[in-house]
Each structure stands twice: as structure tokens, then as C-alpha cells.
Amino acid sequence: MADRPILFSGPMVRALLASTKTQTRRVIGPDFRKVDWTDPDTNCQTCKGNAYWGKTMSSWTRCPACVRPRTDRFAVGDRLYVREHWRTESHAYDDLAPSDMDADYPVIYDADADWSLNKSVGRFRQGMHMPRWASRLTLIVRAVRVQRLQDIGEEDAIAEGCAPLGSEFLIPGQYLYSDPSKPRTAISATSAYESLWNQINEARGYGWDANPWVVAVAFTVEHRNIDQVPA
């Protein structure tokens, strides 16, 4: 077991707070030359356990049917403290680095409101710089799977925060679009998740159509700081 930080966007933080999100998927890699791979399966009907399946003159191709990347990024029992965009309650602390603050400093969270027009609060701070003591959500990892992105099913997509909304499914964060022609819902949880995934990852080269390898992490949510959660 390990304690690790994990970054979430505002819509995903709101889904965690609402208890509608109990899974997350993260791209494995991104440099696959640094990724460890499983051995071929001797019972595989595609490669028959041949490590040199698809071999050419200069290289060989990993069997797509049985060879999977390994990752030790997450493990069952890990405690993940959520990082999110944040501010201090006052401009008085704007010149302080997070490392110079402690739990006595009052913090507010950008997922809770649009603070950009409130001139009395502190400056915007990136979630990646949120210190451990300022985190308000802790995730306890209960399952870890390695899979292709498009292997996600309806139940998993709902667990990713694409909650039912009438006869359709919510696309978290979609309401942030200024273009009213953008859909806010989709006809299935999987298609809603496809839209959500592309909002976050398509510009990085890991869009839905690329079908990257991902680690799927299932968790329970503790609505308290990690240091208040029993180890």
C-alpha cells in the first residue's frame, strides 16, 4: 500500500463529491519503451505463446490478443489524496508558495464555485501544486485493471461519473461549453464517457479513436483528508 496524489478536473471533483464517480482511467505510458509487458500466453489462439509473433526483419510485434502492459502506478489498498484547483480565502497569502503554508491557512476550491469574479479571494492555484494537507477527498483503491480504453462497458462508464439523466446519460463538464449546440447528454453511458474522455485527452494524442492502453482504477471515496483516514 502507498499514499499517492491524484489530479482531477473540476467536473470530476464534483462527481466525487456527489458520490457518482467510483472509477478513473489513466493512460499507461506515455512512452511505451519504458513500460514492462506481460509474457505471451501459451494458450493464446493467436500467437500460441510465441514471443516473436509478427516478427519482421528488424523488429517484432507484441501479440494484441494476450500481451498486456504492466503498471505499478496503482495497487489495491493504495490511498490517493485528490488534488484539485484551489485558492486561499484571501489575497494576503498570494505571495506564499504552498510549501510555506500549512493546515492553518484557509483554502477554497474552484470546483465549488466560479471564484474568478470574486476579487476578495486569493489567486488561482493549479491542482498539481495542492499540498497534501489541503486535500479534502481520499480514494481507497479496491481494484486495478489494465485494458484498452474502448473495453469500457456501460456499468463502468456510469461509475466514471456519466450518471443517468432521464432516459440519457450526463456528459460531465459539457455544460462548460459556450456553444449551445454542444450536447449535454448522450444516449448511452459509454458514448457519454467517450465525449468526456476526448474533452480531457484528445488534444494530448490519446483520444477515444486511438484506443490507448489504460489502467482502470476502482475506489471508494472518503470525504475527508487522507491524514484523517485510518491507514
Side-chain angles (χ1 to χ4, degrees):
M1 295 190 301
D3 292 350
R4 309 173 188 271
I6 186 168
L7 184 65
F8 281 97
S9 65
M12 294 296 93
V13 170
R14 288 189 284 274
L16 291 171
L17 290 169
S19 299
T20 58
K21 183 174 179 66
T22 56
Q23 288 188 22
T24 188
R25 280 161 175 74
R26 305 293 165 115
V27 175
I28 295 177
D31 187 346
F32 275 77
R33 290 171 299 178
K34 299 178 182 177
V35 173
D36 187 22
W37 295 81
T38 62
D39 294 327
D41 184 351
T42 55
N43 296 317
C44 176
Q45 295 302 305
T46 299
C47 71
K48 313 298 184 185
N50 181 5
Y52 294 95
W53 180 87
K55 185 174 174 61
T56 65
M57 291 292 291
S58 59
S59 64
W60 60 278
T61 302
R62 297 178 182 89
C63 176
C66 70
V67 177
R68 298 286 185 271
R70 293 190 180 100
T71 178
D72 59 1
R73 185 176 174 186
F74 302 100
V76 173
D78 282 356
R79 304 190 308 168
L80 312 176
Y81 61 94
V82 172
R83 283 177 163 170
E84 56 182 294
H85 299 327
W86 60 294
R87 305 165 188 262
T88 56
E89 285 187 355
S90 168
H91 282 297
Y93 312 116
D94 279 0
D95 292 335
L96 288 178
S99 58
D100 295 327
M101 301 178 187
D102 57 33
D104 291 331
Y105 287 80
V107 169
I108 55 178
Y109 304 93
D110 271 46
D112 293 346
D114 182 2
W115 301 107
S116 60
L117 300 179
N118 188 329
K119 303 304 182 183
S120 65
V121 300
R123 63 179 175 85
F124 172 82
R125 294 175 185 261
Q126 291 282 352
M128 68 180 70
H129 301 306
M130 171 174 275
R132 176 179 171 129
W133 59 262
S135 175
R136 57 176 169 169
L137 293 166
T138 305
L139 314 180
I140 310 300
V141 177
R142 59 181 181 82
V144 179
R145 292 172 289 163
V146 172
Q147 59 184 193
R148 289 287 190 181
L149 173 63
Q150 293 181 18
D151 289 341
I152 190 171
E154 282 292 288
E155 289 187 6
D156 287 338
I158 293 172
E160 280 275 6
C162 300
L165 189 65
S167 61
E168 297 192 332
F169 295 85
L170 178 69
I171 305 173
Q174 199 79 323
Y175 65 87
L176 296 176
Y177 284 111
S178 57
D179 183 352
S181 68
K182 293 284 187 180
R184 271 58 172 176
T185 60
I187 59 173
S188 70
T190 304
S191 56
Y193 183 70
E194 176 183 348
S195 295
L196 169 64
W197 179 269
N198 281 337
Q199 287 180 51
I200 301 169
N201 296 289
E202 190 168 36
R204 301 169 53 224
Y206 299 108
W208 179 266
D209 291 340
N211 199 22
W213 285 104
V214 297
V215 54
V217 182
F219 50 79
T220 56
V221 183
E222 294 278 350
H223 292 246
R224 49 183 170 166
N225 182 268
I226 186 171
D227 293 320
Q228 298 173 331
V229 178

